[in-house]
Amino acid sequence: MSRTSPLPASLPSPAPTALPGSPASPASPASTCPPARPVPLFPPLRVGRAGRGGDRLRRALGRRRRVVSAGLAVAAAAALAAGGARAQASRGAAPPGGKPPPPAAVRLVSAPVRIADGATVRLLRPGDRVDVVAAERAGPPRVVAVAARVAEVPAPEREMGDGGALVVLSVPRETARTLVGAGAAARLAVTLC
């Protein structure tokens, strides 16, 4: 596709003129201009604000500023941490490096517990959380297990009249010992959490 358009035929062609200091060509008396050629297609030019060299310099300076500011932030955090540790040491507190050891994993055991009211046990489902309360005749009731998970609710026993019902709780070993001792001396009841 040509980007030049031919001159209309109605326009007169210009008279040949010779430039001062250049010899006139006898072979082409009509025109001294070269013949018209089509202009090739080319991609558009992209010109930046300050040219490509300026953009590179601007980006390099921006990177340098970011690196310097990140280094200053790290240095400030380190100084703050060191100052905080010194302040705690001056007050007599343990340094932050001396963390207390994590608590040991609590191992749960299954503890079968006889609850005095069998109808209450029938309301329970595995996964429920209950508090176990020991009711003694001599003193006020006391809580012997807090938020114990119900592991199993066995089928009710037919021959037990007013003996209550059995429930299996998942509790830590120490709580299981307390439940066994309380069950021997008092009547146990549960409350849903």
Side-chain angles (χ1 to χ4, degrees), residues 39-184:
V39 177
L41 292 175
F42 57 90
L45 297 176
R46 308 255 184 233
V47 178
R49 286 178 288 185
R52 297 195 63 81
D55 286 343
R56 284 189 200 128
L57 179 62
R58 190 176 296 112
R59 278 183 273 159
L61 288 175
R63 279 192 297 267
R64 184 174 178 198
R65 285 186 195 126
R66 283 192 296 271
V67 168
V68 169
S69 62
L72 287 174
V74 169
L80 181 64
R86 277 192 225 111
Q88 283 184 351
S90 67
R91 288 191 299 252
K99 294 180 186 175
V106 177
R107 178 150 188 235
L108 299 178
V109 296
S110 296
V113 178
R114 183 158 302 276
I115 304 300
D117 186 11
T120 305
V121 174
R122 285 196 296 274
L123 296 174
L124 300 178
R125 301 285 177 261
D128 288 345
R129 295 281 179 171
V130 295
D131 291 343
V132 182
V133 180
E136 298 175 352
R137 293 180 192 238
R142 62 188 172 95
V143 178
V144 291
V146 177
R149 188 176 60 82
V150 176
E152 184 181 349
V153 181
E157 302 163 351
R158 298 270 182 212
E159 64 272 359
M160 295 296 288
D162 194 25
L166 194 65
V167 64
V168 179
L169 302 176
S170 182
V171 292
R173 189 175 298 275
E174 280 298 315
T175 306
R177 288 189 193 117
T178 306
L179 283 170
V180 170

Side-chain angles (χ1 to χ4, degrees), residues 16-19 21-34:
T17 57
L19 294 175
S22 64
S25 170
S28 62
S31 173
T32 58
C33 296

